[in-house]
Amino acid sequence: LVGQPIQLAGHAGGDGDEVVPPTPVERPARAAERAQAAAVDALLFGVLLALVVYFTGRAARVGLGALASSWPGLALYFGLLALFYAGYFTGTTGQTPGKLMTGLRVVGGTGRPPGYPRAMARAFVGLLGTGLVGLGLLPMAFDPAGRAAHDRLFRTRVVRN
């Protein structure tokens, strides 16, 4: 490196050097930011579930009480819908609508979204870890990058731009 010119980001040298744009700085998402994104997603998903239940009742021409025998099937459907919701958005862009609204995104080791299979598996393990009294979130308190168990398992991290 001795004797080589130093190129500063955003500075064009006098001898025709190109302007190098500064790279954005990523920082790990804080637990409160992740909780805020999850709350937005839960609200949006709750509205979606309410619409599904409403239109299911309308299509069957029965009230909510009459759907009681269908609740196990609806619960399975809702679980699959939750996996698809998180897996699709996270796998495509790294951002669910809640993460998009809060400026967060999920990235893998390359800095890109994790892809569909990994995002679906991450969502499944994340739901399990959160459902088990939050035990899957406990590693966030000790990890410098703020990663939960599902982030560590699938080699992802949640960052803020």
Side-chain angles (χ1 to χ4, degrees):
L1 294 174
V2 177
Q4 293 184 2
I6 297 173
Q7 177 66 42
L8 300 175
H11 172 73
D15 57 354
D17 291 342
E18 291 184 30
V19 174
V20 178
T23 56
V25 176
E26 296 176 340
R27 70 159 173 80
R30 295 183 179 102
E33 293 170 329
R34 291 179 72 159
Q36 186 179 23
V40 171
D41 283 327
L43 179 66
L44 292 174
F45 195 70
V47 169
L48 179 63
L49 294 184
L51 288 171
V52 167
V53 169
Y54 172 77
F55 284 112
T56 299
R58 295 280 300 198
R61 298 174 193 232
V62 297
L64 287 178
L67 289 175
S69 64
S70 301
W71 282 114
L74 282 172
L76 177 63
Y77 176 73
F78 294 157
L80 292 174
L81 193 59
L83 287 178
F84 180 76
Y85 176 93
Y88 174 76
F89 287 117
T90 302
T92 303
T93 63
Q95 296 178 301
T96 59
K99 284 185 180 68
L100 179 66
M101 292 176 72
T102 56
L104 304 179
R105 64 189 168 95
V106 177
V107 296
T110 63
R112 300 185 49 82
Y116 299 119
R118 214 163 83 180
M120 289 268 192
R122 179 185 178 276
F124 180 72
V125 172
L127 285 173
L128 286 178
T130 304
L132 293 172
V133 197
L135 290 178
L137 303 177
L138 190 60
M140 289 174 63
F142 306 105
D143 188 289
R147 294 177 300 168
H150 57 283
D151 293 318
R152 296 176 64 81
L153 183 62
F154 293 99
R155 293 186 217 111
T156 59
R157 55 197 165 90
V158 180
V159 296
R160 181 172 183 90
N161 290 339

